[in-house]
């Protein structure tokens, strides 16, 4: 089953570098495991324990899920996993959201980077795409996510609304959601 | 209709790269306690709930799971169990659990 919005492979030229945005394939999970995971685990980054294979397989078979990859000069540079369900807005009853499961960037693109720092802003770009997708899907730019403790400040500063802690299978996490007003401004780019 | 054209996507990437440069890469920000703080609390909660012998048994069980081909590391599995125990303890109150342990 396809995701409601088709996502054709897109080439993005940024300065001297060329990036490719595309839907993820199961082979990307293997690439993640061989090129990212060991480095992330060695540096005790929580995203070294994420379940990309499970997410990509689900996106390939279920219409409510989508996984995107960004390829660049260093190989696999960033990944996004999102779902349409569960997607009930906590800020506006009867409204739906797009739910971000994971936003991951390669070890060398993280801050602090593992190894030499390479590409900045890819996580931010993928969040922008999630907000734009929410608009395209008629959800007014509403996007929800549960933040890791170390990036709660990032989502707060970006302009997401802090809703509160919620119990999940793997712990208690702070839930953030974007308002249509914030999404509109952020996607257009007038927001820090 | 899909308005996510290559031009629009390119613009989103370009703007994000500029902002990351201007405002600092967002993942640079670690204003909150690092993840190790949460792990430490979980470990304390586990210590409050389980004896050392029980913790050792749990680790053995996790090693067995790993030996049977479970993909996650024992540390990760243990972390999940600890987080679950910690959240349960927070819900019902650790002292209540300890009282139950002492007076079953």
């Amino acid at each position: 089953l396809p995701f409601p919005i088709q996502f054709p492979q897109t080439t993005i030229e940024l300065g001297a570098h060329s990036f490719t945005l595309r839907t993820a394939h199961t082979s990307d999970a293997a690439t993640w495991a061989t090129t990212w995971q060991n480095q992330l685990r060695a540096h005790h980054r929580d995203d070294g324990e994420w379940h990309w294979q499970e997410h990509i397989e689900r996106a390939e078979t279920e219409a409510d899920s989508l996984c995107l990859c960004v390829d660049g000069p260093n190989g696999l540079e960033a990944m996004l996993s999102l779902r349409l369900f569960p997607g009930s807005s906590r800020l506006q009853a009867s409204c739906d959201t797009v739910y971000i499961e994971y936003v991951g960037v390669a070890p060398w693109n993280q801050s602090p980077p593992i190894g030499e720092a390479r590409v900045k802003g890819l996580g931010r770009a993928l969040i922008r795409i999630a907000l734009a997708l929410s608009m395209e899907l008629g959800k007014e730019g509403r996007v929800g996510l549960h933040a890791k403790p170390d990036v709660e400040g990032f989502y707060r500063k970006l302009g997401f609304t802090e809703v509160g802690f919620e119990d999940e299978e793997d712990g208690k996490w702070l839930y953030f959601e974007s308002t249509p007003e914030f999404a509109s401004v952020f996607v257009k780019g007038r927001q820090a | 209709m899909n308005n996510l054209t290559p031009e629009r996507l390119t613009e989103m990437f370009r703007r994000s790269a500029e902002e990351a440069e201007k405002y600092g890469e967002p993942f640079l920000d670690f204003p909150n306690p690092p993840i190790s703080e949460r792990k430490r609390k979980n470990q304390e909660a586990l210590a409050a709930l389980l004896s050392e012998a029980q913790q050792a048994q749990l680790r053995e069980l996790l090693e067995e799971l790993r030996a049977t081909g479970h993909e996650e590391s024992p540390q990760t599995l243990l972390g999940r169990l600890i987080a679950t125990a910690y959240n349960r303890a927070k819900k019902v109150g650790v002292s209540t659990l300890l009282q139950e342990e002492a007076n079953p």
Side-chain angles (χ1 to χ4, degrees):
Chain A
L1 288 173
F3 192 74
I5 287 184
Q6 295 302 297
F7 226 99
Q9 183 168 306
T10 304
T11 301
I12 291 160
E13 304 291 347
L14 277 185
H17 299 299
S18 180
F19 296 88
T20 302
L21 176 68
R22 59 176 175 80
T23 52
H25 311 296
T26 46
S27 61
D28 293 311
T31 303
W32 173 83
T34 53
T35 60
W36 294 19
Q37 190 175 27
N38 287 344
Q39 293 185 59
L40 295 172
R41 279 182 167 172
H43 289 78
H44 310 291
R45 305 275 166 96
D46 269 13
D47 46 345
E49 308 303 330
W50 286 359
H51 305 275
W52 279 109
Q53 183 169 343
E54 181 186 312
H55 283 241
I56 292 171
E57 286 175 354
R58 189 178 63 201
E60 288 187 328
T61 55
E62 296 181 18
D64 72 351
S65 301
L66 177 70
C67 281
L68 297 176
C69 286
V70 179
D71 296 316
N74 311 295
L76 185 61
E77 303 272 16
M79 299 171 82
L80 169 73
S81 170
L82 52 82
R83 290 188 88 178
L84 304 183
F85 179 83
S88 300
S89 170
R90 274 69 153 179
L91 297 176
Q92 182 66 52
S94 79
C95 286
D96 287 335
T97 64
V98 165
Y99 181 77
I100 292 180
E101 300 264 19
Y102 296 153
V103 181
V105 296
W108 49 88
N109 295 332
Q110 297 196 359
S111 291
I114 297 172
E116 186 184 348
R118 297 179 189 176
V119 186
K120 287 182 178 178
L122 290 177
R124 184 181 282 250
L126 289 175
I127 290 166
R128 243 187 192 109
I129 288 171
L131 292 164
L133 272 171
S134 171
M135 291 175 174
E136 292 292 317
L137 291 163
K139 299 172 189 292
E140 303 176 301
R142 297 182 192 278
V143 168
L145 59 92
H146 289 94
K148 293 190 300 155
D150 54 337
V151 291
E152 287 169 359
F154 162 58
Y155 288 110
R156 203 176 283 125
K157 200 165 87 174
L158 206 58
F160 275 75
T161 300
E162 182 178 330
V163 176
F165 282 93
E166 296 186 353
D167 284 320
E168 293 294 302
E169 284 179 5
D170 55 348
K172 206 175 184 76
W173 304 94
L174 193 53
Y175 179 83
F176 287 88
E177 193 173 300
S178 58
T179 62
E181 295 75 21
F182 158 67
S184 175
V185 170
F186 184 65
V187 168
K188 287 175 186 166
R190 295 198 300 274
Q191 177 79 24
Chain B
M1 182 180 167
N2 184 359
N3 292 312
L4 294 172
T5 60
E7 293 75 21
R8 196 168 168 217
L9 290 168
T10 300
E11 181 59 17
M12 287 187 204
F13 271 74
R14 188 192 59 74
R15 195 172 290 134
S16 297
E18 284 178 3
E19 287 171 2
E21 197 64 47
K22 182 176 178 183
Y23 299 107
E25 171 59 40
F27 292 95
L28 267 174
D29 298 332
F30 292 93
N32 297 297
I35 202 77
S36 57
E37 175 70 8
R38 183 163 56 85
K39 285 181 176 170
R40 185 186 61 75
K41 285 181 182 174
N42 287 341
Q43 285 164 357
E44 286 176 1
L46 181 72
L49 290 169
L50 300 175
S51 67
E52 282 189 16
Q54 286 171 320
Q55 290 181 50
Q57 284 177 336
L58 192 56
R59 288 194 175 88
E60 267 182 39
L61 174 64
L62 293 173
E63 291 289 353
E64 285 176 22
L65 279 173
R66 181 146 170 86
T68 54
H70 202 289
E71 286 183 2
E72 289 181 317
S73 67
Q75 289 80 5
T76 303
L77 287 166
L78 181 60
R80 287 182 185 284
L81 284 170
I82 291 170
T84 302
Y86 176 62
N87 282 317
R88 179 167 174 259
K90 280 187 75 172
K91 273 184 187 171
V92 302
V94 172
S95 59
T96 307
L97 284 178
L98 291 175
Q99 282 171 8
E100 286 175 2
E101 183 78 13
N103 305 295

